[in-house]
C-alpha cells in the first residue's frame, strides 16, 4: 500500500536477532501456561521474557516461580523472566496478547464459546494495538486470546502495523486435536501423514483428512469432533486451556522463531486465515498446495464468514 504514510519504513527488512525479547501480557490460565512453555523450551531463540499483569501480585508470583525453575546446569540456558510495566510491552521483538475481559466458566458447555468473547476482547486488544501504533512498533504482535482470527484483523486496523507483523496463534491446537482423534480412530489415520488444517480456531475450522486422497464426509466428521473438543473438556468440569497454551501458543511461536513450518494465522489480503506457514528471511512463506475443489470450497466459505465478522 504505497499510500501508507510509513510504507518505506515498514517495507525495510525486519531485524532478525539471533535471540528475541518476548513480552507477554496477562498471566491467566493460558498466559501462565504459555509462559512456562517458553521458559522451559525457548532458550535457543529467546533472550528474555517480560511479563505484565494488571492484577496485584500476579506478575510477582510468576517472576518468583519461573526464575526458580533451573536445569542442573548450565544455569543460563533458560531465558530469564522479568516484570515489565504496560508502557514497556513494546520494548521488544515479540508481543504476546493473552488478555481477556471475559472467559465463560465451566458451566458453559454448548455454543461457540470463543466468539462469545469477541466484543469485549476486541475493545481490549484495540487499546494495545493503538499503543503499538504510538510506539511505532517494529516487532511481531501475536494474538493468543479468543477469537484469534477476528482479533488479529482488529489489531491490523487499529495499529497501523504491516500485515506481516500481526500473527494469530490458535490453529496449532486444532491440528493437535485432529492428531489425537486420528490416533484413536483408524478411519482418520490418514490425517497423521497427509492431513492439513485451515481457518480459524473455532466453529469455521476446516480439516482435510488428506490433500492427495481427500474424503469430504470423513474430513467434515473429523472437523466436527475437533471444533467441539473444547466442549468435551468443559463437560468434565475443566477449562480447556493447557493444550491451546502449549500447542497453539508456546510450541507454534517457537517454531515460527526457528523458521520452522507451523500453524498460525496470517493475512491473505482480506482476513486472517490459519494455515501451515513459516517465517523466512524474505518474509512469510505459506504452504503451496493444489487443493481438491470440495476442500477449496470449504475454505472459501470459511473465508467469507470471517470476512463478514
Amino acid at each position: 500500500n504505497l499510500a501508507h504514510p510509513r510504507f518505506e519504513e515498514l517495507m525495510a527488512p525486519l531485524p532478525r536477532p539471533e535471540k528475541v525479547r518476548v513480552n507477554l501480557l496477562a498471566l491467566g490460565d493460558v498466559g501462565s501456561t504459555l509462559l512456562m512453555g517458553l521458559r522451559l523450551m525457548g532458550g535457543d531463540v529467546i533472550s528474555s521474557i517480560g511479563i505484565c499483569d494488571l492484577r496485584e501480585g500476579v506478575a510477582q508470583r510468576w517472576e518468583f516461580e519461573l526464575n526458580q525453575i533451573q536445569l542442573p546446569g548450565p544455569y543460563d540456558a533458560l531465558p530469564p523472566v522479568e516484570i515489565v510495566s504496560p508502557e514497556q510491552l513494546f520494548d521488544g521483538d515479540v508481543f504476546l496478547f493473552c488478555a481477556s475481559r471475559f472467559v465463560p466458566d465451566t458451566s458453559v458447555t454448548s455454543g461457540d464459546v470463543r466468539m462469545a468473547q469477541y466484543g469485549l476482547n476486541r475493545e481490549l486488544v484495540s487499546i494495545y494495538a493503538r499503543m503499538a501504533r504510538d510506539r511505532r512498533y517494529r516487532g511481531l504482535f501475536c494474538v493468543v486470546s479468543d477469537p484469534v482470527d477476528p482479533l488479529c484483523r482488529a489489531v491490523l486496523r487499529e495499529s497501523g502495523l504491516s500485515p506481516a507483523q500481526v500473527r494469530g496463534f490458535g490453529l496449532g491446537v486444532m491440528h493437535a486435536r485432529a492428531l489425537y482423534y486420528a490416533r484413536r480412530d483408524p478411519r482418520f489415520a490418514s490425517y497423521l501423514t497427509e492431513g492439513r488444517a485451515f481457518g480459524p480456531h473455532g466453529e469455521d475450522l476446516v480439516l482435510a483428512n488428506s490433500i492427495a486422497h481427500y474424503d469430504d464426509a470423513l474430513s467434515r466428521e473429523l472437523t466436527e469432533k475437533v471444533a467441539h473438543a473444547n466442549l468435551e473438556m468443559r463437560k468434565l468440569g475443566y477449562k480447556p486451556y493447557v493444550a491451546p497454551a502449549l500447542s497453539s501458543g508456546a510450541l507454534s511461536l517457537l517454531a515460527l522463531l526457528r523458521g520452522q513450518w507451523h500453524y498460525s494465522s496470517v493475512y491473505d489480503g482480506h482476513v486472517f486465515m490459519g494455515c501451515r506457514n513459516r517465517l523466512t528471511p524474505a518474509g512469510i512463506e505459506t504452504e503451496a498446495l493444489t487443493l481438491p475443489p470440495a476442500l477449496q470450497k470449504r475454505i472459501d466459505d470459511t473465508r467469507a464468514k470471517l470476512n463478514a465478522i
Side-chain angles (χ1 to χ4, degrees):
N1 176 13
L2 300 184
H4 193 290
R6 296 171 55 205
F7 88 90
E8 290 185 346
E9 172 191 340
L10 293 173
M11 283 300 292
L14 290 172
R16 292 290 306 277
E18 182 179 343
K19 292 188 177 185
V20 300
R21 165 69 170 200
V22 175
N23 288 323
L24 187 155
L25 173 68
L27 298 162
D29 291 336
V30 170
S32 59
T33 305
L34 196 164
L35 173 63
M36 284 187 271
L38 296 182
R39 164 77 172 167
L40 290 170
M41 299 181 288
D44 62 318
V45 288
I46 297 176
S47 60
S48 61
I49 307 170
I51 57 173
C52 177
D53 195 292
L54 302 184
R55 296 169 296 170
E56 185 175 356
V58 173
Q60 288 78 5
R61 172 207 174 180
W62 287 108
E63 186 278 332
F64 193 70
E65 289 268 42
L66 269 293
N67 286 321
Q68 293 177 35
I69 298 174
Q70 287 290 349
L71 295 168
Y75 299 138
D76 60 352
L78 306 183
V81 176
E82 306 163 356
I83 298 172
V84 298
S85 67
E87 293 73 25
Q88 296 173 299
L89 284 170
F90 295 101
D91 294 339
D93 306 295
V94 178
F95 169 66
L96 290 173
F97 180 84
C98 301
S100 182
R101 280 183 171 164
F102 169 64
V103 178
D105 63 30
T106 54
S107 65
V108 178
T109 58
S110 62
D112 193 341
V113 179
R114 304 175 187 97
M115 280 306 298
Q117 305 174 60
Y118 178 52
L120 291 175
N121 284 352
R122 187 186 192 283
E123 294 176 5
L124 185 58
V125 80
S126 294
I127 294 171
Y128 292 92
R130 289 190 288 270
M131 287 177 62
R133 176 193 290 272
D134 293 341
R135 295 294 303 273
R136 303 177 77 88
Y137 181 56
R138 291 298 311 280
L140 292 174
F141 192 123
C142 300
V143 176
V144 183
S145 301
D146 279 328
V148 169
D149 309 79
L151 291 182
C152 284
R153 198 180 192 192
V155 169
L156 183 65
R157 290 179 168 180
E158 297 283 349
S159 66
L161 301 179
S162 72
Q165 289 178 264
V166 182
R167 286 289 183 118
F169 288 92
L171 192 57
V173 74
M174 302 310 234
H175 172 63
R177 286 169 175 163
L179 295 173
Y180 172 82
Y181 288 117
R183 292 188 182 103
R184 295 168 66 89
D185 188 334
R187 295 182 304 126
F188 302 130
S190 58
Y191 190 90
L192 296 171
T193 54
E194 302 173 6
R196 290 293 188 276
F198 305 92
H201 174 64
E203 289 290 330
D204 296 315
L205 171 73
V206 176
L207 295 179
N209 71 301
S210 167
I211 298 297
H213 307 95
Y214 179 68
D215 184 317
D216 192 64
L218 198 64
S219 296
R220 288 178 182 272
E221 182 181 348
L222 179 59
T223 300
E224 182 75 9
K225 292 177 74 69
V226 169
H228 298 114
N230 63 321
L231 301 181
E232 296 302 312
M233 181 61 72
R234 286 177 171 275
K235 290 175 183 177
L236 296 175
Y238 298 97
K239 294 179 182 178
Y241 66 85
V242 176
L246 296 175
S247 289
S248 290
L251 291 170
S252 294
L253 175 65
L254 292 175
L256 177 144
L257 296 176
R258 292 168 181 147
Q260 299 169 346
W261 290 103
H262 68 284
Y263 283 101
S264 62
S265 293
V266 297
Y267 193 59
D268 70 358
H270 299 281
V271 298
F272 279 85
M273 190 82 162
C275 64
R276 196 163 179 261
N277 67 88
R278 64 180 175 179
L279 186 61
T280 76
I284 299 169
E285 178 185 3
T286 56
E287 190 175 39
L289 298 170
T290 301
L291 301 179
L295 176 58
Q296 183 67 62
K297 184 181 185 306
R298 292 179 64 200
I299 293 173
D300 291 342
D301 290 344
T302 282
R303 180 180 287 108
K305 290 178 181 179
L306 286 170
N307 197 40
I309 297 173

